[in-house]
Amino acid sequence: MPESPTEAGPPSVAVLIEALAADAGDRTALMRSDGSSLSRAELARRTRLLAQRLRALAIAPTDRVAVLAPNGIDMALAVLGTMRVAACAPLNPQYGQAELAFYLDDLAARALVVTGDSPALAREIAAQRGLPVIEAGEALCATGDAPLPPTPVSDDIALVLHTSGTTSRPKQVPLSHANLAASMAHIVAALQLGADDCALNAMPLFHIHGLVAGLLAPLAAGGRTVCAPALRLPDFFDWLDACGATWYSAVPTMHQAVLTAADGRRPRRPLRFVRSSSAALAPATLAALEAHFGCPVIEAYGMTEAAHQMASNPLPPAVRKPGSVGLPAGPEIAVIDAAGAPLATGTRGEIAIRGANVMRAYHAHPEANRSAFTAGWFRTGDEGYVDADGYLHITGRLKEMINRGGEKITPREIDEALLAHPDVAQAVAFAVPHPTLGEDVAAAVVPRPGSTIGPEALRAFLFDRLADFKVPSEVLLLAEIPKGPTGKVQRIGLADRLQALRRHDFVAPRDVVEDILVQCWQEVLGGDIGVHDNFFALGGDSLKATRVVARIVSVLPVDLPTALLFRHPTVATLADAVRQTLDPSVIAEIERILDELAPLPAAGDERDARPV
Ligand code: AMP
């Protein structure tokens, strides 16, 4: 294998592996997180052996073979060995029974490849379907050398991955050896990877990011890659040291977790760079990572259908722009309108790509292919623009855009504003259904350890930074934000997953001000209202806010702009704001009058509306 591969990359994974072994067989190819390693020659021998086993089952290059195992060196060998002979479909080892059955059937898999630590469930489900189950990994070495099986050619499918299917049934993305080769070459070029580089790969090996940026590209550069288990903190820092890693690539939630757990720890050998891809990296996180690791952070833009990389920020001395995914780094990129016409620099539109790394079509899905391809361009479904310097900026995922009563809101903007707060470790804004607005905005936030920040302080922080209509009506504080299998936050569906947290225990008004506010709210919204219920979650909107405020000022001697209700959307917080504008003597006077009219029942029991 040449030290600097050509733009075309190797014609197939088998050719890449054999070329590495022939070039310098005793050099390290794969490593474990404890620092132990496997040579290029061993990589070739063990993957060849698995390929041979599969060939013995009459599996052909056009067949699909599922692979299911936890991350690690055996999983890497299973994937690479399978790709030497068939279309490899790596599956998430966390899948339950129904998911496993769905994916094996949907793929029409001919066999299942497992490793010693694969879950028993996968073997059982494969056996129920009469599928041969093949053991891969280091256990295979005992059998001796194997002859070279016939290998797929560059147009054959190497990898079949499913889209995440958050809004529809998952689609199959078939990627050819040529697609993978192009993507490897693009990543090698963008990161200037070489034989001295060592990647620490904690990204799952059933996701395109871990497979291409974490496993194949480092090998294509003649370097080493560490097949780490799923991210485990704080062990991650030991892994970096044990393996002498020069870089790692991860999704932003992993970077945030690394920063939170770092506790002042840095790798003994400084990293050459850190790469982030697969979701938006907030500029605040980028800055914190650069400060922590003392190296450039390279944000790149990738997607399964493009065999991962599409754009990347360049390494120094070229300029990297926080908030941008960088320059085209592989396929051609255009920003197009709904009809497919290219848009001018600076104009927002749908990001479209074409090039050697882009899949030819979704498998057996003519409808999806019709809407995804326009005049040879693949529509990514992402919205963005190219700036005057040619850098691509992603403004959101078209399907994730929140429509709050006609106001279109990009949730990423809210995430970034929240992450700019020093007490926020993770943040994700999402749409929640609303009876009159259609959708409203909520946000889930993981505070930094030891922080005592509350939702209202965070909302106040946002009001200073964002237009009022973009400020989430609700901010939920969580220990952890639910994530998809690859560690990416899945915005779509978050409202359902967090629904239980959005309900608050009923707390009756605790003083006269809360009592009056509850009654004003009830007149407009109806139903029982507790002091911690959120006005907007109860169906409130700006029209109803105006009516509530008009009612409040007709009862209390306060000057209450409607905006105050937006800023304080619970009775408890609005009451605090009202109390600050009222002279205590006025409150005492109101209490006295009300007491004379009807004595207040015991606090905590009161649910009946009393006339104001
Ligand atoms: P996947 O197919 O799982 O790799 O997801 C691809 C999607 O992740 C893209 O279509 C984008 O919506 C998103 N994505 C990937 N990289 C970035 C990035 N750097 N910034 C923002 N979104 C990204």
Side-chain angles (χ1 to χ4, degrees), residues 164 207-209 276-281 299-305 308 310 325 380-382 394 396-397 412 486 488:
S164 63
H207 185 252
I208 196 71
H209 182 156
S276 181
S277 187
S278 301
L281 181 69
E299 179 169 11
Y301 172 43
M303 95 184 292
T304 308
E305 289 87 333
H308 193 46
M310 298 176 279
V325 295
T380 61
D382 294 318
I394 300 177
R397 183 107 191 113
R412 270 192 59 182
T486 54
K488 290 210 287 184

PDB file of all heavy atoms in Angstrom, residues 164 207-209 276-281 299-305 308 310 325 380-382 394 396-397 412 486 488, ligand 1:
ATOM      1  N   SER A 164     -31.549   5.955   9.894  1.00  0.00           N
ATOM      2  CA  SER A 164     -32.027   5.830  11.278  1.00  0.00           C
ATOM      3  C   SER A 164     -33.544   5.634  11.352  1.00  0.00           C
ATOM      4  O   SER A 164     -34.049   5.064  12.312  1.00  0.00           O
ATOM      5  CB  SER A 164     -31.604   7.040  12.091  1.00  0.00           C
ATOM      6  OG  SER A 164     -32.207   8.178  11.561  1.00  0.00           O
ATOM      7  N   HIS A 207     -21.859   2.015  12.493  1.00  0.00           N
ATOM      8  CA  HIS A 207     -22.205   3.333  11.950  1.00  0.00           C
ATOM      9  C   HIS A 207     -21.105   3.795  11.007  1.00  0.00           C
ATOM     10  O   HIS A 207     -19.921   3.507  11.232  1.00  0.00           O
ATOM     11  CB  HIS A 207     -22.404   4.335  13.092  1.00  0.00           C
ATOM     12  CG  HIS A 207     -22.890   5.681  12.618  1.00  0.00           C
ATOM     13  ND1 HIS A 207     -22.088   6.790  12.615  1.00  0.00           N
ATOM     14  CD2 HIS A 207     -24.072   6.067  12.102  1.00  0.00           C
ATOM     15  CE1 HIS A 207     -22.781   7.823  12.131  1.00  0.00           C
ATOM     16  NE2 HIS A 207     -23.984   7.405  11.811  1.00  0.00           N
ATOM     17  N   ILE A 208     -21.512   4.532   9.988  1.00  0.00           N
ATOM     18  CA  ILE A 208     -20.582   4.906   8.922  1.00  0.00           C
ATOM     19  C   ILE A 208     -19.382   5.705   9.435  1.00  0.00           C
ATOM     20  O   ILE A 208     -18.275   5.561   8.922  1.00  0.00           O
ATOM     21  CB  ILE A 208     -21.359   5.690   7.817  1.00  0.00           C
ATOM     22  CG1 ILE A 208     -20.572   5.759   6.529  1.00  0.00           C
ATOM     23  CG2 ILE A 208     -21.807   7.069   8.296  1.00  0.00           C
ATOM     24  CD1 ILE A 208     -20.475   4.474   5.806  1.00  0.00           C
ATOM     25  N   HIS A 209     -19.590   6.506  10.455  1.00  0.00           N
ATOM     26  CA  HIS A 209     -18.514   7.336  11.006  1.00  0.00           C
ATOM     27  C   HIS A 209     -17.392   6.436  11.568  1.00  0.00           C
ATOM     28  O   HIS A 209     -16.211   6.607  11.227  1.00  0.00           O
ATOM     29  CB  HIS A 209     -19.135   8.228  12.088  1.00  0.00           C
ATOM     30  CG  HIS A 209     -18.218   9.191  12.752  1.00  0.00           C
ATOM     31  ND1 HIS A 209     -18.679  10.343  13.356  1.00  0.00           N
ATOM     32  CD2 HIS A 209     -16.877   9.215  12.950  1.00  0.00           C
ATOM     33  CE1 HIS A 209     -17.655  10.999  13.897  1.00  0.00           C
ATOM     34  NE2 HIS A 209     -16.556  10.339  13.657  1.00  0.00           N
ATOM     35  N   SER A 276     -14.591  16.092  14.787  1.00  0.00           N
ATOM     36  CA  SER A 276     -15.983  15.951  15.201  1.00  0.00           C
ATOM     37  C   SER A 276     -16.844  15.859  13.963  1.00  0.00           C
ATOM     38  O   SER A 276     -16.643  16.614  13.004  1.00  0.00           O
ATOM     39  CB  SER A 276     -16.401  17.162  16.038  1.00  0.00           C
ATOM     40  OG  SER A 276     -17.733  17.006  16.457  1.00  0.00           O
ATOM     41  N   SER A 277     -17.794  14.932  13.957  1.00  0.00           N
ATOM     42  CA  SER A 277     -18.681  14.831  12.798  1.00  0.00           C
ATOM     43  C   SER A 277     -19.963  14.136  13.211  1.00  0.00           C
ATOM     44  O   SER A 277     -20.102  13.682  14.340  1.00  0.00           O
ATOM     45  CB  SER A 277     -17.988  14.044  11.679  1.00  0.00           C
ATOM     46  OG  SER A 277     -18.784  14.086  10.505  1.00  0.00           O
ATOM     47  N   SER A 278     -20.889  14.114  12.284  1.00  0.00           N
ATOM     48  CA  SER A 278     -22.179  13.404  12.393  1.00  0.00           C
ATOM     49  C   SER A 278     -23.266  14.189  13.107  1.00  0.00           C
ATOM     50  O   SER A 278     -24.418  13.759  13.112  1.00  0.00           O
ATOM     51  CB  SER A 278     -22.043  12.024  13.041  1.00  0.00           C
ATOM     52  OG  SER A 278     -21.163  11.229  12.279  1.00  0.00           O
ATOM     53  N   ALA A 279     -22.946  15.296  13.729  1.00  0.00           N
ATOM     54  CA  ALA A 279     -23.953  16.189  14.310  1.00  0.00           C
ATOM     55  C   ALA A 279     -23.258  17.524  14.546  1.00  0.00           C
ATOM     56  O   ALA A 279     -22.019  17.589  14.539  1.00  0.00           O
ATOM     57  CB  ALA A 279     -24.501  15.623  15.608  1.00  0.00           C
ATOM     58  N   ALA A 280     -24.076  18.551  14.765  1.00  0.00           N
ATOM     59  CA  ALA A 280     -23.509  19.891  14.877  1.00  0.00           C
ATOM     60  C   ALA A 280     -22.669  20.051  16.137  1.00  0.00           C
ATOM     61  O   ALA A 280     -23.106  19.679  17.229  1.00  0.00           O
ATOM     62  CB  ALA A 280     -24.636  20.909  14.891  1.00  0.00           C
ATOM     63  N   LEU A 281     -21.499  20.598  15.975  1.00  0.00           N
ATOM     64  CA  LEU A 281     -20.617  20.877  17.111  1.00  0.00           C
ATOM     65  C   LEU A 281     -20.784  22.354  17.469  1.00  0.00           C
ATOM     66  O   LEU A 281     -20.459  23.229  16.655  1.00  0.00           O
ATOM     67  CB  LEU A 281     -19.166  20.584  16.735  1.00  0.00           C
ATOM     68  CG  LEU A 281     -18.138  20.817  17.833  1.00  0.00           C
ATOM     69  CD1 LEU A 281     -18.296  19.788  18.954  1.00  0.00           C
ATOM     70  CD2 LEU A 281     -16.721  20.758  17.269  1.00  0.00           C
ATOM     71  N   GLU A 299     -14.044  20.132  12.494  1.00  0.00           N
ATOM     72  CA  GLU A 299     -15.441  19.696  12.328  1.00  0.00           C
ATOM     73  C   GLU A 299     -15.676  19.300  10.879  1.00  0.00           C
ATOM     74  O   GLU A 299     -15.310  20.032   9.954  1.00  0.00           O
ATOM     75  CB  GLU A 299     -16.431  20.778  12.745  1.00  0.00           C
ATOM     76  CG  GLU A 299     -17.857  20.252  12.518  1.00  0.00           C
ATOM     77  CD  GLU A 299     -18.980  21.083  13.101  1.00  0.00           C
ATOM     78  OE1 GLU A 299     -18.727  22.218  13.534  1.00  0.00           O
ATOM     79  OE2 GLU A 299     -20.119  20.584  13.085  1.00  0.00           O
ATOM     80  N   ALA A 300     -16.278  18.130  10.690  1.00  0.00           N
ATOM     81  CA  ALA A 300     -16.564  17.639   9.344  1.00  0.00           C
ATOM     82  C   ALA A 300     -18.040  17.280   9.242  1.00  0.00           C
ATOM     83  O   ALA A 300     -18.711  17.083  10.253  1.00  0.00           O
ATOM     84  CB  ALA A 300     -15.709  16.408   9.042  1.00  0.00           C
ATOM     85  N   TYR A 301     -18.496  17.189   8.019  1.00  0.00           N
ATOM     86  CA  TYR A 301     -19.906  16.911   7.730  1.00  0.00           C
ATOM     87  C   TYR A 301     -19.970  15.570   7.015  1.00  0.00           C
ATOM     88  O   TYR A 301     -19.269  15.369   6.014  1.00  0.00           O
ATOM     89  CB  TYR A 301     -20.414  18.056   6.860  1.00  0.00           C
ATOM     90  CG  TYR A 301     -21.785  17.947   6.247  1.00  0.00           C
ATOM     91  CD1 TYR A 301     -22.885  17.471   6.951  1.00  0.00           C
ATOM     92  CD2 TYR A 301     -21.993  18.398   4.938  1.00  0.00           C
ATOM     93  CE1 TYR A 301     -24.137  17.430   6.368  1.00  0.00           C
ATOM     94  CE2 TYR A 301     -23.241  18.369   4.352  1.00  0.00           C
ATOM     95  CZ  TYR A 301     -24.313  17.880   5.072  1.00  0.00           C
ATOM     96  OH  TYR A 301     -25.553  17.849   4.495  1.00  0.00           O
ATOM     97  N   GLY A 302     -20.757  14.662   7.571  1.00  0.00           N
ATOM     98  CA  GLY A 302     -20.826  13.338   6.958  1.00  0.00           C
ATOM     99  C   GLY A 302     -22.229  12.793   6.963  1.00  0.00           C
ATOM    100  O   GLY A 302     -23.080  13.271   7.710  1.00  0.00           O
ATOM    101  N   MET A 303     -22.482  11.811   6.142  1.00  0.00           N
ATOM    102  CA  MET A 303     -23.751  11.090   6.186  1.00  0.00           C
ATOM    103  C   MET A 303     -23.600   9.712   5.570  1.00  0.00           C
ATOM    104  O   MET A 303     -22.722   9.492   4.728  1.00  0.00           O
ATOM    105  CB  MET A 303     -24.881  11.919   5.566  1.00  0.00           C
ATOM    106  CG  MET A 303     -25.216  11.689   4.131  1.00  0.00           C
ATOM    107  SD  MET A 303     -26.510  12.851   3.564  1.00  0.00           S
ATOM    108  CE  MET A 303     -27.940  12.317   4.481  1.00  0.00           C
ATOM    109  N   THR A 304     -24.440   8.798   6.009  1.00  0.00           N
ATOM    110  CA  THR A 304     -24.344   7.408   5.567  1.00  0.00           C
ATOM    111  C   THR A 304     -24.380   7.317   4.039  1.00  0.00           C
ATOM    112  O   THR A 304     -23.563   6.613   3.425  1.00  0.00           O
ATOM    113  CB  THR A 304     -25.507   6.594   6.180  1.00  0.00           C
ATOM    114  OG1 THR A 304     -25.512   6.809   7.588  1.00  0.00           O
ATOM    115  CG2 THR A 304     -25.359   5.120   5.892  1.00  0.00           C
ATOM    116  N   GLU A 305     -25.316   8.010   3.418  1.00  0.00           N
ATOM    117  CA  GLU A 305     -25.508   7.902   1.968  1.00  0.00           C
ATOM    118  C   GLU A 305     -24.285   8.380   1.190  1.00  0.00           C
ATOM    119  O   GLU A 305     -24.143   8.094   0.002  1.00  0.00           O
ATOM    120  CB  GLU A 305     -26.740   8.722   1.531  1.00  0.00           C
ATOM    121  CG  GLU A 305     -28.079   8.139   1.965  1.00  0.00           C
ATOM    122  CD  GLU A 305     -28.526   8.586   3.356  1.00  0.00           C
ATOM    123  OE1 GLU A 305     -27.649   8.918   4.195  1.00  0.00           O
ATOM    124  OE2 GLU A 305     -29.747   8.592   3.604  1.00  0.00           O
ATOM    125  N   HIS A 308     -19.957   8.590   4.441  1.00  0.00           N
ATOM    126  CA  HIS A 308     -19.471   9.486   5.483  1.00  0.00           C
ATOM    127  C   HIS A 308     -19.087  10.881   4.962  1.00  0.00           C
ATOM    128  O   HIS A 308     -19.966  11.673   4.692  1.00  0.00           O
ATOM    129  CB  HIS A 308     -18.345   8.858   6.302  1.00  0.00           C
ATOM    130  CG  HIS A 308     -18.041   9.615   7.564  1.00  0.00           C
ATOM    131  ND1 HIS A 308     -19.014  10.057   8.410  1.00  0.00           N
ATOM    132  CD2 HIS A 308     -16.871  10.014   8.125  1.00  0.00           C
ATOM    133  CE1 HIS A 308     -18.461  10.695   9.432  1.00  0.00           C
ATOM    134  NE2 HIS A 308     -17.169  10.691   9.285  1.00  0.00           N
ATOM    135  N   MET A 310     -18.395  14.552   3.625  1.00  0.00           N
ATOM    136  CA  MET A 310     -18.778  15.435   2.512  1.00  0.00           C
ATOM    137  C   MET A 310     -18.008  16.753   2.565  1.00  0.00           C
ATOM    138  O   MET A 310     -17.614  17.291   1.553  1.00  0.00           O
ATOM    139  CB  MET A 310     -20.285  15.724   2.566  1.00  0.00           C
ATOM    140  CG  MET A 310     -21.131  14.465   2.418  1.00  0.00           C
ATOM    141  SD  MET A 310     -22.875  14.777   2.585  1.00  0.00           S
ATOM    142  CE  MET A 310     -23.065  14.830   4.353  1.00  0.00           C
ATOM    143  N   VAL A 325     -19.120  23.647   8.715  1.00  0.00           N
ATOM    144  CA  VAL A 325     -18.607  22.276   8.551  1.00  0.00           C
ATOM    145  C   VAL A 325     -17.458  22.255   7.556  1.00  0.00           C
ATOM    146  O   VAL A 325     -16.982  21.195   7.162  1.00  0.00           O
ATOM    147  CB  VAL A 325     -19.715  21.276   8.158  1.00  0.00           C
ATOM    148  CG1 VAL A 325     -20.728  21.146   9.280  1.00  0.00           C
ATOM    149  CG2 VAL A 325     -20.383  21.662   6.851  1.00  0.00           C
ATOM    150  N   THR A 380     -29.589  16.001   0.479  1.00  0.00           N
ATOM    151  CA  THR A 380     -29.219  15.483   1.804  1.00  0.00           C
ATOM    152  C   THR A 380     -30.336  15.636   2.838  1.00  0.00           C
ATOM    153  O   THR A 380     -30.284  14.994   3.878  1.00  0.00           O
ATOM    154  CB  THR A 380     -27.988  16.232   2.355  1.00  0.00           C
ATOM    155  OG1 THR A 380     -28.354  17.615   2.477  1.00  0.00           O
ATOM    156  CG2 THR A 380     -26.781  16.057   1.463  1.00  0.00           C
ATOM    157  N   GLY A 381     -31.298  16.546   2.563  1.00  0.00           N
ATOM    158  CA  GLY A 381     -32.315  16.814   3.590  1.00  0.00           C
ATOM    159  C   GLY A 381     -31.820  17.815   4.620  1.00  0.00           C
ATOM    160  O   GLY A 381     -32.531  18.183   5.541  1.00  0.00           O
ATOM    161  N   ASP A 382     -30.576  18.277   4.455  1.00  0.00           N
ATOM    162  CA  ASP A 382     -30.024  19.281   5.372  1.00  0.00           C
ATOM    163  C   ASP A 382     -30.152  20.659   4.724  1.00  0.00           C
ATOM    164  O   ASP A 382     -30.024  20.793   3.501  1.00  0.00           O
ATOM    165  CB  ASP A 382     -28.538  19.013   5.654  1.00  0.00           C
ATOM    166  CG  ASP A 382     -28.340  17.712   6.408  1.00  0.00           C
ATOM    167  OD1 ASP A 382     -29.121  17.450   7.332  1.00  0.00           O
ATOM    168  OD2 ASP A 382     -27.413  16.957   6.053  1.00  0.00           O
ATOM    169  N   ILE A 394     -24.297  24.601   8.038  1.00  0.00           N
ATOM    170  CA  ILE A 394     -25.562  23.866   8.104  1.00  0.00           C
ATOM    171  C   ILE A 394     -26.479  24.619   9.057  1.00  0.00           C
ATOM    172  O   ILE A 394     -26.084  24.920  10.191  1.00  0.00           O
ATOM    173  CB  ILE A 394     -25.336  22.424   8.601  1.00  0.00           C
ATOM    174  CG1 ILE A 394     -24.398  21.711   7.633  1.00  0.00           C
ATOM    175  CG2 ILE A 394     -26.653  21.664   8.699  1.00  0.00           C
ATOM    176  CD1 ILE A 394     -24.046  20.309   8.038  1.00  0.00           C
ATOM    177  N   GLY A 396     -29.738  23.521   9.623  1.00  0.00           N
ATOM    178  CA  GLY A 396     -30.646  22.574  10.282  1.00  0.00           C
ATOM    179  C   GLY A 396     -30.982  21.421   9.379  1.00  0.00           C
ATOM    180  O   GLY A 396     -30.541  21.358   8.232  1.00  0.00           O
ATOM    181  N   ARG A 397     -31.745  20.532   9.929  1.00  0.00           N
ATOM    182  CA  ARG A 397     -32.233  19.393   9.159  1.00  0.00           C
ATOM    183  C   ARG A 397     -33.646  19.796   8.762  1.00  0.00           C
ATOM    184  O   ARG A 397     -34.435  20.213   9.615  1.00  0.00           O
ATOM    185  CB  ARG A 397     -32.199  18.177  10.090  1.00  0.00           C
ATOM    186  CG  ARG A 397     -32.577  16.885   9.500  1.00  0.00           C
ATOM    187  CD  ARG A 397     -31.412  15.956   9.276  1.00  0.00           C
ATOM    188  NE  ARG A 397     -31.852  14.838   8.460  1.00  0.00           N
ATOM    189  CZ  ARG A 397     -31.435  14.618   7.214  1.00  0.00           C
ATOM    190  NH1 ARG A 397     -30.551  15.400   6.658  1.00  0.00           N
ATOM    191  NH2 ARG A 397     -31.894  13.614   6.533  1.00  0.00           N
ATOM    192  N   ARG A 412     -31.029  24.021  16.208  1.00  0.00           N
ATOM    193  CA  ARG A 412     -29.574  24.124  16.471  1.00  0.00           C
ATOM    194  C   ARG A 412     -29.182  25.460  17.077  1.00  0.00           C
ATOM    195  O   ARG A 412     -28.274  25.559  17.887  1.00  0.00           O
ATOM    196  CB  ARG A 412     -28.823  23.997  15.145  1.00  0.00           C
ATOM    197  CG  ARG A 412     -28.462  22.604  14.798  1.00  0.00           C
ATOM    198  CD  ARG A 412     -27.507  22.644  13.668  1.00  0.00           C
ATOM    199  NE  ARG A 412     -26.305  23.386  13.989  1.00  0.00           N
ATOM    200  CZ  ARG A 412     -25.335  23.597  13.139  1.00  0.00           C
ATOM    201  NH1 ARG A 412     -25.421  23.120  11.917  1.00  0.00           N
ATOM    202  NH2 ARG A 412     -24.263  24.256  13.492  1.00  0.00           N
ATOM    203  N   THR A 486     -26.083   5.605  17.952  1.00  0.00           N
ATOM    204  CA  THR A 486     -24.727   6.038  17.641  1.00  0.00           C
ATOM    205  C   THR A 486     -24.260   7.141  18.581  1.00  0.00           C
ATOM    206  O   THR A 486     -23.207   7.715  18.382  1.00  0.00           O
ATOM    207  CB  THR A 486     -24.635   6.569  16.208  1.00  0.00           C
ATOM    208  OG1 THR A 486     -25.635   7.584  16.064  1.00  0.00           O
ATOM    209  CG2 THR A 486     -24.858   5.480  15.205  1.00  0.00           C
ATOM    210  N   LYS A 488     -25.833   9.893  18.886  1.00  0.00           N
ATOM    211  CA  LYS A 488     -26.343  11.177  18.420  1.00  0.00           C
ATOM    212  C   LYS A 488     -27.704  11.417  19.070  1.00  0.00           C
ATOM    213  O   LYS A 488     -28.503  10.495  19.200  1.00  0.00           O
ATOM    214  CB  LYS A 488     -26.551  11.155  16.898  1.00  0.00           C
ATOM    215  CG  LYS A 488     -25.281  11.127  16.131  1.00  0.00           C
ATOM    216  CD  LYS A 488     -25.410  11.813  14.778  1.00  0.00           C
ATOM    217  CE  LYS A 488     -26.177  11.068  13.751  1.00  0.00           C
ATOM    218  NZ  LYS A 488     -26.156  11.771  12.460  1.00  0.00           N
TER     219      LYS A 488
HETATM  220  P1  AMP B   1     -25.669   9.786   9.514  1.00  0.00           P
HETATM  221  O1  AMP B   1     -26.230   9.239   8.247  1.00  0.00           O
HETATM  222  O2  AMP B   1     -26.124   9.028  10.732  1.00  0.00           O
HETATM  223  O3  AMP B   1     -24.198   9.949   9.461  1.00  0.00           O
HETATM  224  O4  AMP B   1     -26.312  11.231   9.713  1.00  0.00           O
HETATM  225  C1  AMP B   1     -26.113  12.209   8.724  1.00  0.00           C
HETATM  226  C2  AMP B   1     -26.713  13.512   9.160  1.00  0.00           C
HETATM  227  O5  AMP B   1     -26.057  13.999  10.333  1.00  0.00           O
HETATM  228  C3  AMP B   1     -26.517  14.610   8.140  1.00  0.00           C
HETATM  229  O6  AMP B   1     -27.458  14.531   7.093  1.00  0.00           O
HETATM  230  C4  AMP B   1     -26.669  15.845   8.987  1.00  0.00           C
HETATM  231  O7  AMP B   1     -28.037  16.113   9.245  1.00  0.00           O
HETATM  232  C5  AMP B   1     -26.024  15.431  10.297  1.00  0.00           C
HETATM  233  N1  AMP B   1     -24.630  15.887  10.366  1.00  0.00           N
HETATM  234  C6  AMP B   1     -23.517  15.219  10.061  1.00  0.00           C
HETATM  235  N2  AMP B   1     -22.415  15.962  10.290  1.00  0.00           N
HETATM  236  C7  AMP B   1     -22.850  17.150  10.761  1.00  0.00           C
HETATM  237  C8  AMP B   1     -22.204  18.348  11.196  1.00  0.00           C
HETATM  238  N3  AMP B   1     -20.897  18.471  11.272  1.00  0.00           N
HETATM  239  N4  AMP B   1     -22.996  19.372  11.576  1.00  0.00           N
HETATM  240  C9  AMP B   1     -24.344  19.257  11.570  1.00  0.00           C
HETATM  241  N5  AMP B   1     -25.011  18.151  11.195  1.00  0.00           N
HETATM  242  C10 AMP B   1     -24.270  17.106  10.794  1.00  0.00           C
END
